[in-house]
Amino acid sequence: MKLFSYLKVSGNPEVAVLEAAGKNGAHYIAGGTNLIDLMKDDVMSPAHLIDVNDISCGDIEKLPGGGVKIGALVRNSDLANDPYIRQNYPVLSRALLSAASAQLRNMATVGGNLMQRTRCSYFYDVAGACNKRQPGSGCPAIEGYNRMHSILGASNKCIAAHPSDMCVALAALDAVIHTKGPSGERKIKMADFHKLPGSTPEIETMLAPAELITAVELPAVGFNKNWCYLKVRDRASYAFALVSAATCLEISGGKIKSARIALGGIAPKPWRSVEAEKLLIGKTPDEATFRAAAEAALKSAKGYEHNKFKIEMSKRTIVRALKVAAGGVA
Ligand SMILES: Cc1cc2nc3c(=O)[nH]c(=O)nc-3n(C[C@H](O)[C@H](O)[C@H](O)COP(=O)(O)OP(=O)(O)OC[C@H]3O[C@@H](n4cnc5c(N)ncnc54)[C@H](O)[C@@H]3O)c2cc1C
C-alpha cells in the first residue's frame, strides 16, 4: 500500500497553500475520474493530494464585454447543458457530450479535463518502458501497437495522443486558461497550454508546479450558426476518438469569412490547423475547397504501422465536419 496525505481546501486558496504544494510536489484532485485510476494502477503515486472540489471556481459567468468565464470546478455535464453555453458555444457543448459516459461527465471538471493524461496503453503498463512515465526508458509504441496514437506532432521519444474532446472545442474557440500559482496569476492561450513531446514527453503543459487552473475564458465569438463537432470512434458512445474535428465557419455572401479547424485523437495536444483555416478564407464553401483544406491540415502527417489509416480518415472527417458546419444543420 502506498501512503499519501490528503488536504481539502476551500474558498480562494491562499498563496501559502499553493507554495506548500509546490514544495512537496502535491497534486490537485478534482473529480478524480482520471487521477484515481492512475493511482490505482501505480502509474502516478503522488505523496500529497490537495482536494480542490470546494474552492470557489464553480460558476459560469457572462463577461460584460461579451464572452464567458467558466470556473475550473464546473462539471462537464453542467457545462454541456448550460443554456448559455448551448446557445452561444454549441460546439463546446457537443464535444463535451460526446465524451465518456453521463456518470463520468457528472464528476469530471473543466480543470481535470484539461489536465487528463494520455490513454496510451504503454503509459498504463507499469511493467514496461514509457518515456512519459519514466523519462529515458523508451517508447515501445513506436514499434508496437500504435492504432490509437498520433500522426501529427509526435517525436521519436513519444507518439501518445491527447484524449480530450472538450479541449478540441476549446482550441477551436481560442480559449484562454486562467491560473493561480505560488508566483501569482496568469492567463495562458489554449494554443500554448499543452506542449508537444519533443525530447521531454513527461512535460505535458505550461503549468508550473502547484499552479492551479482557476477558469477558462471564451471570447465572445462562439460560432453558433455554422459549426460541427464530429467524433469518429470504434463504438457509438463511451470510446475515445480515433479522430475528431471541431469546425466553425462564418459565411457571408456565399464566401467563407473566417474558419476554425481543430482536431483530436491524432496528436499529442489538441491540434489546431491554422494553415487549413487560411486556405478557406474568401472561398466558396464547397467540397473541393474543403478537401484542399483537409490536405493542408494533414500535409506533415506521419503514420505508424497500425495507424496509417488515420491520415485519410482525418481528411474525410475534416471534409464532413466542414460540410455539416457550412450547412448550418449541426
Ligand atoms: C472510462 C472513461 C472514459 C472516458 N472517455 C473520455 C472521452 O471519450 N473523451 C474525453 O475527453 N475524456 C474521456 N474521459 C476522461 C475524462 O474526461 C477525464 O477523466 C476527466 O475530464 C478528468 O477530470 P477530473 O475532474 O475527474 O480530473 P481528476 O482525475 O481529478 O484530475 C486529473 C488531473 O488534473 C489535475 N487537476 C484537476 N483539477 C485541476 C486544476 N483545477 N488545476 C490544475 N490541475 C488540476 C489533477 O492533478 C490530475 O493530474 C474518460 C474517462 C474514463 C474513466
Side-chain angles (χ1 to χ4, degrees), residues 22-329:
K23 280 190 191 126
N24 67 16
H27 283 245
Y28 298 117
I29 184 157
T33 61
N34 189 214
L35 184 54
I36 290 180
D37 281 355
L38 291 165
M39 289 172 70
K40 282 182 182 166
D41 288 344
D42 274 343
V43 180
M44 289 176 75
S45 307
H48 305 282
L49 282 187
I50 299 183
D51 184 333
V52 292
N53 280 285
D54 284 351
I55 64 171
S56 33
C57 295
D59 295 329
I60 300 173
E61 184 194 337
K62 287 181 222 165
L63 298 173
V68 64
K69 192 171 160 193
I70 303 158
L73 264 295
V74 174
R75 306 285 157 180
N76 286 183
S77 308
D78 293 337
L79 184 57
N81 295 313
D82 180 85
Y84 187 76
I85 297 296
R86 285 173 64 122
Q87 176 66 37
N88 294 284
Y89 303 94
V91 72
L92 174 59
S93 175
R94 186 66 61 85
L96 283 158
L97 291 175
S98 76
S101 64
Q103 291 90 341
L104 283 159
R105 295 193 295 268
N106 286 344
M107 288 301 292
T109 62
V110 168
N113 196 319
L114 276 159
M115 295 296 289
Q116 65 171 295
R117 313 285 312 266
T118 181
R119 293 281 156 173
C120 171
S121 55
Y122 298 99
F123 175 68
Y124 274 80
D125 177 8
V126 291
C130 168
N131 283 327
K132 192 182 272 302
R133 180 170 32 76
Q134 203 182 338
S137 61
C139 176
I142 293 172
E143 299 293 330
Y145 189 59
N146 40 40
R147 183 168 180 273
M148 296 300 288
H149 291 69
S150 295
I151 52 171
L152 285 165
S155 77
N156 63 0
K157 301 283 183 234
C158 180
I159 63 168
H162 196 272
S164 171
D165 290 290
M166 179 192 83
C167 291
V168 180
L170 293 186
L173 292 169
D174 272 346
V176 176
I177 317 301
H178 292 222
T179 72
K180 180 177 180 181
S183 43
E185 297 183 8
R186 62 175 175 150
K187 295 179 184 178
I188 306 168
K189 287 182 188 164
M190 185 64 191
D192 301 329
F193 185 78
H194 295 97
K195 299 184 104 166
L196 290 177
S199 56
T200 54
E202 71 280 12
I203 303 172
E204 295 174 349
T205 70
M206 289 278 285
L207 285 194
E211 194 168 0
L212 179 70
I213 299 168
T214 53
V216 170
E217 184 179 333
L218 297 180
V221 179
F223 295 94
N224 66 351
K225 280 205 189 91
N226 295 99
W227 62 276
C228 176
Y229 186 75
L230 181 60
K231 179 172 179 180
V232 181
R233 49 188 157 171
D234 287 327
R235 286 189 302 262
S237 76
Y238 204 38
F240 288 93
L242 282 164
V243 179
S244 69
T247 53
C248 303
L249 297 172
E250 190 193 339
I251 300 171
S252 173
K255 302 281 181 202
I256 299 169
K257 292 202 75 174
S258 66
R260 305 277 174 84
I261 301 175
L263 303 172
I266 48 97
K269 61 182 275 182
W271 192 262
R272 181 83 180 264
S273 188
V274 178
E275 313 76 32
E277 292 170 6
K278 277 188 194 150
L279 261 174
L280 294 172
I281 308 302
K283 304 269 173 49
T284 310
D286 58 29
E287 174 125 13
T289 302
F290 296 157
R291 183 72 199 185
E295 292 291 341
L298 274 297
K299 202 172 161 204
S300 58
K302 176 181 176 212
Y304 296 85
E305 186 178 354
H306 302 281
N307 74 355
K308 292 193 184 92
F309 73 95
K310 279 183 164 190
I311 299 177
E312 180 57 24
M313 181 182 267
S314 302
K315 292 177 187 173
R316 292 183 192 189
T317 305
I318 293 171
V319 171
R320 193 166 136 203
L322 284 168
K323 271 190 195 168
V324 174
V329 293

